């Protein structure tokens, strides 16, 4: 099933794909903001879900752990995020794992800004 989410992530050019209760939802926008809004507006969508994301950093990983996500795939994941997810017992797959400094450079290239 995760392979289907990854295919959707790439074919739909979205930043986040969530599978919950058999429904696949895609989200545009930048970075962790979609996760933050889901956590506060529709937390049940993240509970025991599977996620595929373009980039997962430490903040996104903390949200995923707090929301009891089951499995995560990331095109790019920071080493901090990987450790956070693994420590929470979440299954993790990724295409590229990078150190925190490199992740921040990638994050900025994706359109994020430090506020």
């Amino acid at each position: 099933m995760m392979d289907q989410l990854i295919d959707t992530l790439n074919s739909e050019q979205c930043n986040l794909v969530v599978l919950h209760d058999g429904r696949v939802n895609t989200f545009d926008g930048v970075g962790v903001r979609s996760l933050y809004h889901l956590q506060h507006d529709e937390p049940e969508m993240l509970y025991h879900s599977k996620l595929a994301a373009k980039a997962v950093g430490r903040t996104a990983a903390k949200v995923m752990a707090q929301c009891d996500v089951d499995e995560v795939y990331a095109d790019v994941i920071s080493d901090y995020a990987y450790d956070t997810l693994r420590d929470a017992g979440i299954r993790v797959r990724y295409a590229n794992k990078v150190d925190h400094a490199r992740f921040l450079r990638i994050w900025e290239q994706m359109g994020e800004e430090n506020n």
Side-chain angles (χ1 to χ4, degrees):
M1 189 54 159
M2 184 55 80
D3 289 336
Q4 292 174 345
L5 298 181
I6 296 167
D7 289 344
T8 300
L9 182 70
N10 294 317
S11 67
E12 306 242 347
Q13 297 301 308
C14 54
N15 288 321
L16 177 67
V17 181
V18 178
L19 171 67
H20 178 72
D21 280 343
R23 289 188 38 217
V24 174
N25 296 283
T26 60
F27 299 90
D28 295 324
V30 287
V32 72
R33 289 184 186 104
S34 294
L35 275 174
Y36 177 80
H37 290 300
L38 284 172
Q39 180 186 29
H40 287 81
D41 299 337
E42 299 180 69
E44 66 281 352
M45 185 182 293
L46 295 175
Y47 183 69
H48 290 296
S49 63
K50 295 181 186 223
L51 279 68
K54 290 290 183 187
V56 176
R58 180 175 36 196
T59 302
K62 287 179 182 179
V63 170
M64 293 172 187
Q66 290 170 354
C67 292
D68 292 325
V69 168
D70 285 343
E71 186 173 358
V72 173
Y73 165 83
D75 281 345
V76 178
I77 192 168
S78 75
D79 50 4
Y80 287 145
Y82 178 82
D83 292 343
T84 298
L85 294 170
R86 295 293 294 177
D87 289 348
I90 298 170
R91 289 184 302 273
V92 183
R93 289 174 49 191
Y94 57 86
N96 297 294
K97 183 167 74 164
V98 298
D99 64 39
H100 186 66
R102 175 75 180 125
F103 180 82
L104 291 176
R105 288 191 299 274
I106 292 168
W107 190 65
E108 288 173 0
Q109 291 170 355
M110 293 178 71
E112 287 288 354
E113 298 177 17
N114 291 325
N115 293 324

